Amino acid sequence: MQPAKIYLGSTESRIQQYRADSQKYWDKGDAENAQKYRDSIKAVIVNTYIKEHSFTSLEGSAFETANQDKPMFLQVTASWCVPCRAEIPALNQIAEKYQDQVDFVLLFQDPADRLTTLSKEYNPTITLVPSNKVVSDPNTIYIAGFRHTMGFPSTYLITPENQVINFTQGAQAPRTYTREDGKEVTITQEEANRQNFERLEAEIKDLLQKSAVHNL
């Protein structure tokens, strides 16, 4: 007998609790324990299922999550998110390379009128979905029944059977920072692109491998 499916939407209360616990440790300067709670959030999400959603793209076409014949890269993002913007070049390269094997869908915290100019920066193979209702919490989106409360960018890697097999957060952005040893480190746009591409490709390859196993 197959175990009952656990849906992503049913995990929100646990996610919120782990988020609160993680923040308590960040506030204390305890990064190690804060990260443990962040890892717990990922453990809650992975192997859940998303329900059937119908997303309306910026161009007005519908993207149905039901009965997909390809795995899906589903990312939640926002126009004002610096790492999200920095990731665009690498994401475009990945979408161009894997468009025949994976559906790329981006859910924006922004409404459609904010995306007209930004949309020109994305590869046309990527489906861009604006919010039709902006919620008060800047870390949350709610689009066509899909609710996310974990900030941006966050990525769900989903099999054709709508099972989440991985959940990742963050992207590299150009910056200069000081390490604990006092050394100043600069990450250029070129280096950020390289790191983002390598991470995204590793995620896509893992998604394709695990989706193939599911189809056996």
Side-chain angles (χ1 to χ4, degrees):
M1 182 177 179
Q2 292 288 338
K5 291 182 179 179
I6 299 174
Y7 286 96
L8 178 63
S10 70
T11 66
E12 184 171 342
S13 61
R14 281 186 291 166
I15 289 173
Q16 296 290 15
Q17 183 59 58
Y18 286 142
R19 278 186 64 190
D21 292 337
S22 178
Q23 189 58 51
K24 289 177 184 177
Y25 281 105
W26 282 121
D27 292 342
K28 295 176 183 178
D30 187 344
E32 181 179 354
N33 280 309
Q35 187 57 50
K36 287 180 180 179
Y37 278 103
R38 300 291 288 188
D39 293 341
S40 296
I41 291 172
K42 179 174 180 176
V44 166
I45 293 172
V46 171
N47 292 324
T48 62
Y49 289 78
I50 66 167
K51 293 186 176 180
E52 297 178 2
H53 302 287
S54 180
F55 298 125
T56 302
S57 74
L58 188 60
E59 292 77 23
S61 60
F63 181 91
E64 308 285 345
T65 64
N67 303 315
Q68 289 297 305
D69 58 2
K70 291 191 290 186
M72 177 169 50
F73 174 100
L74 180 66
Q75 185 177 88
V76 291
T77 185
S79 66
W80 45 262
C81 165
V82 174
C84 303
R85 298 289 291 268
E87 190 182 46
I88 292 175
L91 181 56
N92 284 341
Q93 288 180 276
I94 289 293
E96 184 69 29
K97 185 173 181 178
Y98 291 97
Q99 60 180 297
D100 293 333
Q101 299 169 269
V102 177
D103 286 321
F104 292 85
V105 180
L106 268 58
L107 306 183
F108 281 85
Q109 192 258 0
D110 307 80
D113 60 359
R114 295 185 195 167
L115 297 182
T116 303
T117 301
L118 179 62
S119 65
K120 299 173 184 177
E121 298 182 24
Y122 285 94
N123 187 296
T125 63
I126 301 173
T127 299
L128 309 181
V129 180
S131 291
N132 53 18
K133 181 180 179 181
V134 179
V135 296
S136 58
D137 179 2
N139 293 310
T140 298
I141 65 166
Y142 187 85
I143 301 176
F146 185 91
R147 183 172 167 85
H148 167 88
T149 62
M150 288 293 297
F152 318 111
S154 295
T155 303
Y156 300 82
L157 289 305
I158 301 170
T159 70
E161 294 76 31
N162 283 347
Q163 185 175 21
V164 181
I165 57 87
N166 199 1
F167 174 75
T168 64
Q169 292 188 283
Q172 189 61 269
R175 60 195 175 104
T176 297
Y177 65 97
T178 303
R179 298 191 321 200
E180 291 184 0
D181 61 5
K183 182 179 180 180
E184 188 174 88
V185 177
T186 296
I187 297 176
T188 64
Q189 181 66 62
E190 182 179 7
E191 176 61 16
N193 289 345
R194 184 189 67 79
Q195 291 186 31
N196 286 330
F197 181 88
E198 290 179 354
R199 174 182 49 78
L200 288 168
E201 184 159 52
E203 292 172 7
I204 292 298
K205 287 182 176 180
D206 182 58
L207 173 62
L208 289 171
Q209 181 182 32
K210 289 178 179 177
S211 293
V213 169
H214 280 248
N215 287 330
L216 292 178

